[in-house]
Structures are given as C-alpha cells and as structure tokens.
C-alpha cells in the first residue's frame, strides 16, 4: 500500500502538538480509521477534519470522549432523519402536482 495519499499520525501529532494519547482515544472509540504501512500509522486527509473537530470539543468545551461519542451518534441519527424527511417530502411533492 502506498502512503502518498495518507498523513502519518506521528508527524501530524508533532506538528500540531496533539498528544498521541488523544489519537489512541479516538481509535478506542472508533472515531477514526487508520492504516498501518511499514510499521507506521496513517490516516486519510479527510480524517484530519474529524480529529480537529473532536479535539476542539474536548479541549475547548471540556467534553469527555464518552460525551463526544454520544454526540457523534446523535448527529448521525439527526442526519439520517433529515435524509429520510427529504425523501418523504420529495415523494409527497409528486402527489401534490
């Protein structure tokens, strides 16, 4: 597997001064997915947005990982419900015309 499309976690943590323990917490709660390439851990670039979002919730708002995990599940459920509502509205419009 080629590491060109990935960001090495260790380098990211050093450059952003993010504790490696925080990344381990994210992995424990399955909030990010990593790839291991040649004994080094990498993430896809889109995962950086999630890492930074969760880090801000924890550091700036003081929300613990369990709370963030709960928020993530609630956000996913709201998004699913919004998609379902849009689908139902679209179906309803067919019958209104």
């Amino acid at each position: 597997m080629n590491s060109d499309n990935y960001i090495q976690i260790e380098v990211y943590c050093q450059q952003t001064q993010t504790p490696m323990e925080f990344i381990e917490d994210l992995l424990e709660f399955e909030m990010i997915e990593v790839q291991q390439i040649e004994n080094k851990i990498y993430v896809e670039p889109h995962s950086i947005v999630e890492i930074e979002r969760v880090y801000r919730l924890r550091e700036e708002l003081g929300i613990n990982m369990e709370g963030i995990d709960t928020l993530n599940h609630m956000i996913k459920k709201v998004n699913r419900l919004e998609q379902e509502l849009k689908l139902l509205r679209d179906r309803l419009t067919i019958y209104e015309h």
Side-chain angles (χ1 to χ4, degrees):
M1 183 180 292
N2 190 348
S3 64
D4 291 345
N5 297 328
Y6 293 92
I7 298 169
Q8 186 181 351
I9 285 293
E10 188 175 312
V11 172
Y12 171 79
C13 288
Q14 289 172 353
Q15 290 180 347
T16 61
Q17 298 179 350
T18 302
M20 191 62 188
E21 294 80 22
F22 175 72
I23 301 300
E24 292 167 1
D25 288 344
L26 291 175
L27 291 170
E28 180 182 334
F29 283 90
E30 299 177 354
M31 292 183 191
I32 60 169
E33 292 182 19
V34 296
Q35 299 291 326
Q36 188 164 348
I37 305 169
E38 298 175 4
N39 296 326
K40 295 182 181 176
I41 300 174
Y42 293 83
V43 294
E44 292 184 37
H46 69 82
S47 295
I48 297 298
V49 174
E50 181 67 7
I51 292 170
E52 291 175 350
R53 182 184 72 81
V54 173
Y55 191 76
R56 280 191 309 274
L57 287 171
R58 193 182 84 165
E59 296 302 310
E60 294 175 10
L61 299 178
I63 302 173
N64 63 19
M65 294 305 286
E66 291 82 2
I68 293 169
D69 189 42
T70 301
L71 283 172
N72 283 343
H73 287 293
M74 290 173 62
I75 289 169
K76 286 178 186 174
K77 185 168 187 163
V78 166
N79 287 339
R80 251 190 339 267
L81 290 170
E82 285 176 342
Q83 289 174 351
E84 185 179 338
L85 180 61
K86 182 186 180 319
L87 177 70
L88 292 172
R89 282 184 176 161
D90 290 346
R91 284 184 182 171
L92 185 60
T93 359
I94 292 172
Y95 296 108
E96 289 179 341
H97 291 96

